[in-house]
Amino acid sequence: MRILFATGNPHKVAEAVQMLSPLGHGVEPLLVDGEAPDFVEPQAEGLEAVAFAKIEQARMMIEGTELEDSAIMVEDSGLFIDSLDGFPGAYSSFVEGTVGLDGILRLLEETDDRGAEYRAVAIVDLDGRTWQSNGVCRGRISEEMLGTGGFGYDPIFIPNEGDGRTCAQMSAEDKSAISHRGQALKGLSEVLSSASR
Ligand code: IMP
C-alpha cells in the first residue's frame, strides 16, 4: 500500500520508511504545495484525539487535489513521566521547544522516581475507514543528556528493553525495534495486511 504520512517531523518519516518499507508499504511524506502540513493541535486532549484531529485536517488539506483518494497516515506521540503525573504527555513537542530537555532534568532533580514512557498512536485512513495501532516504550529519564542520534527527548530517555544507553546513543534500527513508534507502526502494518487479505 502507498501511504502518505502527514507530519512535519522528518525523523518520524524516516522511522516509518525504515519500519514499513520492508513489510511492503511505500511510505512518503504528504506534501501539499510542496510543504509538509502544519497542524493545529488540540492541546488539552489525549494522543488519540490529537491523531484523529490531524487526520481530519489532512483530509481537508487534500480535498479536491490529486491526492484526495490516497491512504493518509498520522501519528501522535509523547513522553509521559511518572512522577510528573504524565507531563509533558500531549504537550511534549511544545515543552521540548520551551522548557527543553534541561528543564525536564531540573524538574526531576529532587526525585528518585525517574520512570517514564514514550507512547504513540498511529492511524491510517483510507476510503472512510481507519486502522489504528498504539505503542508504548517503558523506560527512565537519565541523569544527563547522552548521545546525538534520534530526536526530541532521546538524549534523556533510557528504554527498559535496551542495554542502558539512551535512545540517542542507539542506532535507528535498535531504537525502532523497541520504540513506541516501532510498535505502533508494526501493529498498523499487521492490521493493514489482514484487512487487505
Ligand atoms: P507530535 O508531533 O505532536 O506527535 O509530538 C511528538 C513530540 O513528542 C516530539 O516533538 C517529541 O518532543 C516527543 N517524542 C515523540 N516521540 C519521540 C521519540 O521517538 N523520541 C524523542 N521524542 C519523542
Side-chain angles (χ1 to χ4, degrees):
M1 183 185 280
R2 176 181 180 235
I3 300 171
L4 301 180
F5 192 176
T7 176
N9 185 335
H11 298 279
K12 289 187 178 182
V13 178
E15 289 188 10
V17 169
Q18 186 212 343
M19 190 77 207
L20 292 180
S21 297
L23 302 170
H25 301 292
V27 179
E28 297 163 38
L30 170 68
L31 300 175
V32 182
D33 295 332
E35 300 280 331
D38 193 9
F39 292 118
V40 182
E41 285 201 18
Q43 289 287 317
E45 314 200 42
L47 297 183
E48 195 169 310
V50 174
F52 276 100
K54 285 181 180 176
I55 284 280
E56 208 169 298
Q57 289 177 46
R59 279 277 161 230
M60 281 186 331
M61 286 173 200
I62 60 173
E63 202 172 80
T65 75
E66 59 184 6
L67 301 176
E68 192 170 36
D69 297 325
S70 309
I72 302 293
M73 178 167 77
V74 298
E75 185 262 13
D76 204 67
S77 49
L79 174 70
F80 294 73
I81 300 176
D82 299 351
S83 64
L84 302 179
D85 286 337
F87 181 82
Y91 304 98
S92 292
S93 179
F94 175 75
V95 170
E96 183 199 329
T98 49
V99 174
L101 277 55
D102 265 330
I104 295 290
L105 291 179
R106 274 199 302 276
L107 280 172
L108 295 184
E109 265 169 11
E110 303 296 318
T111 174
D112 292 333
D113 178 6
R114 305 189 75 87
E117 63 191 36
Y118 277 145
R119 293 182 203 159
V121 177
I123 296 175
V124 166
D125 176 270
L126 176 65
D127 290 337
R129 292 184 64 190
T130 56
W131 293 268
Q132 178 183 336
S133 176
N134 297 9
V136 176
C137 178
R138 278 296 302 169
R140 65 179 197 278
I141 303 299
S142 60
E143 304 282 342
E144 55 178 335
M145 284 188 238
L146 289 170
T148 54
F151 71 100
Y153 297 93
D154 284 346
I156 60 168
F157 186 80
I158 301 174
N160 287 349
E161 280 188 69
D163 57 7
R165 289 177 297 163
T166 67
C167 281
Q169 294 176 297
M170 300 167 73
S171 67
E173 290 77 14
D174 287 352
K175 177 186 169 188
S176 285
I178 55 174
S179 80
H180 53 317
R181 187 165 306 99
Q183 290 172 36
L185 294 173
K186 187 163 174 281
L188 206 46
S189 132
E190 284 164 6
V191 288
L192 287 173
S193 307
S194 48
S196 59
R197 255 184 232 131

